[in-house]
Amino acid sequence: MIKNLLALSLAATLLGGCAGVATSPADGNSQSLPSVDLLGKTQLPPGTKVIYEQSLIMGSGDNWMGRVMLDVGKDAMAAYSFFIDQYPQQGWALLTAIRGKTSLLVFTKQDRSATVEMSEGSLLGSTLVTLTVTPKNAVVSAPKKP
């Protein structure tokens, strides 16, 4: 009973968040974040551009969740350093840090989790970052066999 209530609550939260889902700009290009504060106090490296057509942002402000694709420019080391230095200052605790051609950082903060995946050397030479923020204690149940 409690699992069903929690699952229903999570589903309602996710569906309610769809009202704030980011859509891509009409021209389909990457853009700097709009004046509407979709990501709340989430800080991004200077000059970062959101790739809207590859992002899914549910909700807005400090309660947003989803996946945001980012183009942080050509300096992968600066982007990695930004997340390592700035996120703990914002209250995020670093759980995992892996540095390589594809780097991975995992942070937690109260009831949320953030994963930062950086891929160096795209076709344009930019570093692409996937920032995924999810509830940390989401109730997930295994699918039932028919």
Side-chain angles (χ1 to χ4, degrees):
M1 177 70 177
I2 292 177
K3 282 186 177 181
N4 291 340
L5 184 59
L6 290 172
L8 183 59
S9 175
L10 179 60
T13 302
L14 290 173
L15 289 174
C18 289
V21 173
T23 57
S24 63
D27 62 7
N29 292 328
S30 301
Q31 299 289 324
S32 294
L33 282 175
S35 59
V36 176
D37 195 6
L38 289 175
L39 304 180
K41 296 177 186 169
T42 304
Q43 292 184 6
L44 301 174
T48 296
K49 295 187 185 294
V50 175
I51 305 170
Y52 285 96
E53 58 274 5
Q54 295 178 25
S55 298
L56 174 64
I57 303 168
M58 294 179 284
S60 63
D62 291 332
N63 293 320
W64 77 277
M65 65 179 140
R67 179 189 69 239
V68 182
M69 290 296 296
L70 307 167
D71 179 347
V72 295
K74 294 184 179 185
D75 193 348
M77 189 62 192
Y80 185 87
S81 295
F82 176 87
F83 287 106
I84 285 281
D85 296 339
Q86 295 300 315
Y87 273 47
Q89 292 180 21
Q90 298 173 45
W92 291 96
L94 179 65
L95 293 180
T96 304
I98 299 170
R99 179 80 176 113
K101 186 159 177 74
T102 298
S103 298
L104 184 70
L105 301 169
V106 179
F107 297 93
T108 61
K109 180 180 184 178
Q110 297 165 345
D111 61 346
R112 300 175 67 163
S113 235
T115 303
V116 181
E117 182 179 351
M118 288 174 255
S119 301
E120 298 179 28
S122 70
L123 293 175
L124 301 175
S126 293
T127 299
L128 298 179
V129 173
T130 303
L131 173 61
T132 306
V133 175
T134 60
K136 187 165 65 172
N137 295 323
V139 176
V140 179
S141 58
K144 295 182 181 180
K145 294 181 180 179

